[in-house]
Amino acid sequence: MKQQLAQLLAQAYSALQSQGMIPADHPVDILVERTRDRGHGDFASNLAMTLARVAGRKPRDIAEALVAALPQVAQVSKVEIAGPGFINFHLSRDAWHGVVGEILERGADYGRSEVGRGQPVQVEFVSANPTGPLHVGHGRGAAYGATVADLLRAVGFNVHREYYVNDAGRQMDILAASVYLRYLELAGVELPFPSNGYQGDYVWDIGATLHRNHGNDWAFAPEEMLRDIPADAPAGGDKEEHIDALITRTKQLLGPQRYRELFDEGLNSILANIRQDLKEFGVEYDEWFSERSLTESGVVDQAIERLKASGHVYEQEGALWFRSTEFGDEKDRVVVRENGQKTYFASDIAYHMNKLERGYARVIDIWGADHHGYVPRVKAALTALGDDASKLDVLLVQFAILYRGGEKMQMSTRSGEFVTLRELRQEVGNDAARFFYVMRKCEQHMDFDLDLAKSQSNDNPVYYIQYAHARVMSVFRQLAEKGMAWDREQGAQGMHLLHESHEEALLVNLSRYPEMVEAAALNHEPHHLAHYLRELANEFHTYYNAHQFLVGDPALRNARLNLIQAVRQVLANGLGLLGVSAPDSM
RNA sequence: GUCCCGGUAGCUCAGUCGGAUAGAGCAACUGCCUUCUAAGCAGUCGGUCGGGGGUUCGACUCCCUCCCGGGGCGCCA
């Protein structure tokens, strides 16, 4: 409808050009918008105002000329000029009726489109280090990423969802050492636990698995573990040096093969937990991409070689630096450390190089906002490699701050003090969690009040929307109980009987759904969908209270049933995109 | 110090590319269940859009500046 009106205006516009009112070579973007106030009609255009300057005439004069040149069509009942020069379109009542038939016809496909033209897009999200269970902070990235990916698929992109598994590096070594120390305790070797180790209960569980598999065979005496190890922080030492020495000692004592087994036991156990958690949360991936595989397949070395060959790296103080300042970064970045170890950044350059080589039209990274300073260096690296950095969109998700009892909660994986995503899901349910996480735009800081979410879950907007869906289902159950059946064909014939203001409002909103989905997808803003569904549910509840559906007149009854069935379909489609269930009864 | 995000009703937040009288929910208050589920509906109350400049037909929206809150600024990942 919007497109149609824009085309009508385009015809009027070229008529004005041939009349010489507007320069013939002046190109223009014709915009038609939904009005906010129905008193201004259904759609409006500001075209006349934008032309005022180039034509050298008053906006209202141009508007009058445009309206005079506008072709007549049946769907448009009235065209008005209002305010400073808006052209307002009032649609005929019949113009809205078609939407119900379209929704019933297309069913679950209503709202889907092909604007993405099958272009391949990658969405990488969550990618939390496998050093512990997902916590509520990761939940926001999971819900947001999954919804953005679903929305993009709904509008016709070929979406590839990926989780980058950080299965290499120092954090994972700290986890391995932590697991080993718990194993030693189970084997009867009592040692002070490092202050910088991972202290969660899950570390005990992994240690216990090792102990079941190997008994005390992997144990060493405390003296062997602690010989020449620098003091931990509580004893006046440096916690980083302490834990690094423990890692080195663990590797020495166990040897490479057993250390790898220890390491992989921790990695696989935690990763399995993360995968299960996400799956239960309705978040599925096409690929789990291993960081270690980049090193092992030589891709990291290739990336560094390419940077060397193009002259964007230099050596200083024994380390190899990438000259990222050349591409707008604040300072240059190390890719190979003095000790010969490649940095995490080196892997990330390789990873993004690999992503672009896979041929995606767009690559979307969803990161926590604390990584924002990282964006310029990754883009710099892609540019230096000769790739098109503009294909990469980094969406930064602000933290979800947890409140309990009105107080902010600390979250630290290291200390083991956090609310896990699993706990949250168990407390408030998947539906409420998924919905809450995407209710706010991602740049907005989010206060997640646990007490509210747990104790007053009945007030959650998600229930309000689900209730609307359940109510429609209930009406149809009542229909059957009263020995009647829904005659969809008769309903379609009687659409003209729907002239209550509540019915017209619903028709307008139903027709808006595809536009809203498209905008939410292209702008990566799922919160629009959440707000839209609330509004639609509100209009339905209002209608429900104002009018009886199961009336005696079969023509009116079936017309109303067609309408509420269309409402139900759109609610179900929208909730589906958010990963929220649409229950038959509540 | 510098960079990023935010500041809109008592609270939590929407506000489309600059558009017409700035909107919801919660909270508070007043009504509505013999009728398709009251997890609902109708109504009332509530605003210097952080402050100050600027751009223009028009600014919550764009630019400058200042204030406040959160976060980032490692040869950690």
Side-chain angles (χ1 to χ4, degrees), chain A residues 461-469 471 506 509 530-544 567 571:
Chain A
V462 63
Y463 289 103
Y464 183 83
I465 299 165
Q466 289 179 317
Y467 184 41
H469 184 272
R471 267 185 154 173
L506 277 170
N509 240 347
H531 286 276
Y532 170 86
L533 290 173
R534 217 223 158 259
E535 204 178 318
L536 183 63
N538 174 250
E539 278 173 354
F540 171 75
H541 286 307
T542 300
Y543 181 41
Y544 181 96
V567 170
L571 289 173

Side-chain angles (χ1 to χ4, degrees), chain A residues 190-263:
Chain A
E190 289 285 341
L191 292 172
F193 197 78
S195 59
N196 210 21
Y198 287 100
Q199 301 185 28
D201 289 342
Y202 61 93
V203 181
W204 281 105
D205 296 341
I206 304 166
T209 304
L210 280 177
H211 192 248
R212 262 198 312 281
N213 293 345
H214 301 286
N216 293 348
D217 294 355
W218 285 19
F220 290 88
E223 310 83 68
E224 286 188 87
M225 266 313 278
L226 293 182
R227 186 182 305 130
D228 302 327
I229 297 286
D232 198 1
D238 183 297
K239 62 179 182 178
E240 307 289 352
E241 284 178 20
H242 178 72
I243 193 97
D244 282 339
L246 284 174
I247 292 167
T248 307
R249 179 61 42 84
T250 304
K251 286 180 179 171
Q252 281 169 358
L253 292 176
L254 289 178
Q257 203 151 350
R258 286 189 293 180
Y259 182 79
R260 177 71 176 247
E261 192 182 324
L262 162 72
F263 186 100

Side-chain angles (χ1 to χ4, degrees), chain A residues 100-419:
Chain A
V100 170
E102 188 189 344
I103 294 166
L104 297 180
E105 201 57 45
R106 295 197 60 194
D109 283 337
Y110 180 69
R112 295 186 178 273
S113 69
E114 292 302 325
V115 292
R117 301 191 315 276
Q119 293 178 84
V121 172
Q122 189 212 37
V123 182
E124 182 220 322
F125 60 111
V126 185
S127 300
N129 283 349
T131 53
L134 295 177
H135 57 66
V136 292
H138 300 125
R140 188 173 188 186
Y144 178 72
T147 309
V148 166
D150 275 355
L151 280 167
L152 288 170
R153 190 173 55 189
V155 299
F157 289 93
N158 181 10
V159 180
H160 184 84
R161 300 144 160 259
E162 192 157 307
Y163 188 116
Y164 184 50
V165 182
N166 299 127
D167 52 4
R170 180 164 173 267
Q171 296 304 324
M172 289 305 294
D173 283 324
I174 294 176
L175 175 76
S178 302
V179 168
Y180 184 60
L181 288 166
R182 292 313 190 192
Y183 161 84
L184 287 177
E185 282 191 61
L186 291 168
V189 181
E190 289 285 341
L191 292 172
F193 197 78
S195 59
N196 210 21
Y198 287 100
Q199 301 185 28
D201 289 342
Y202 61 93
V203 181
W204 281 105
D205 296 341
I206 304 166
T209 304
L210 280 177
H211 192 248
R212 262 198 312 281
N213 293 345
H214 301 286
N216 293 348
D217 294 355
W218 285 19
F220 290 88
E223 310 83 68
E224 286 188 87
M225 266 313 278
L226 293 182
R227 186 182 305 130
D228 302 327
I229 297 286
D232 198 1
D238 183 297
K239 62 179 182 178
E240 307 289 352
E241 284 178 20
H242 178 72
I243 193 97
D244 282 339
L246 284 174
I247 292 167
T248 307
R249 179 61 42 84
T250 304
K251 286 180 179 171
Q252 281 169 358
L253 292 176
L254 289 178
Q257 203 151 350
R258 286 189 293 180
Y259 182 79
R260 177 71 176 247
E261 192 182 324
L262 162 72
F263 186 100
D264 284 350
E265 186 60 43
L267 169 68
N268 292 332
S269 155
I270 290 172
L271 205 54
N273 179 291
I274 289 174
R275 292 171 88 130
Q276 189 195 345
D277 221 5
L278 288 169
K279 191 174 180 185
E280 286 173 9
F281 200 35
V283 179
E284 305 268 5
Y285 284 92
D286 298 302
E287 186 164 353
W288 296 72
F289 194 99
S290 155
E291 176 187 354
R292 199 158 69 192
S293 75
L294 284 170
T295 311
E296 289 173 353
S297 64
V299 177
V300 178
D301 291 328
Q302 282 171 33
I304 293 172
E305 284 310 312
R306 270 176 64 180
L307 285 177
K308 273 186 189 164
S310 54
H312 294 107
V313 292
Y314 61 93
E315 276 190 49
Q316 188 178 309
E317 295 164 8
L320 192 68
W321 296 71
F322 166 48
R323 202 186 308 277
S324 55
T325 47
E326 202 176 313
F327 305 96
D329 197 8
E330 292 173 354
K331 53 170 287 196
D332 292 342
R333 310 291 173 176
V334 172
V335 286
V336 183
R337 289 197 279 269
E338 195 177 358
N339 65 10
Q341 287 273 314
K342 288 158 200 121
T343 60
Y344 174 81
F345 179 46
S347 299
D348 230 6
I349 295 173
Y351 182 41
H352 284 88
M353 179 179 88
N354 169 277
K355 286 186 181 196
L356 290 186
E357 279 173 0
R358 284 189 256 163
Y360 296 112
R362 298 218 70 79
V363 168
I364 298 173
D365 285 3
I366 296 174
W367 293 350
D370 53 334
H371 286 71
H372 85 87
Y374 205 77
V375 178
R377 77 189 72 166
V378 172
K379 293 212 169 206
L382 287 174
T383 306
L385 288 166
D387 288 319
D388 180 3
S390 70
K391 284 183 180 172
L392 173 67
D393 280 327
V394 181
L395 306 181
L396 299 169
V397 179
Q398 294 290 331
F399 281 141
I401 303 164
L402 266 192
Y403 286 84
R404 174 173 270 151
E407 291 197 11
K408 197 164 155 183
M409 295 179 68
Q410 290 301 318
M411 275 187 294
S412 158
T413 310
R414 196 69 56 83
S415 66
E417 292 167 10
F418 48 84
V419 177

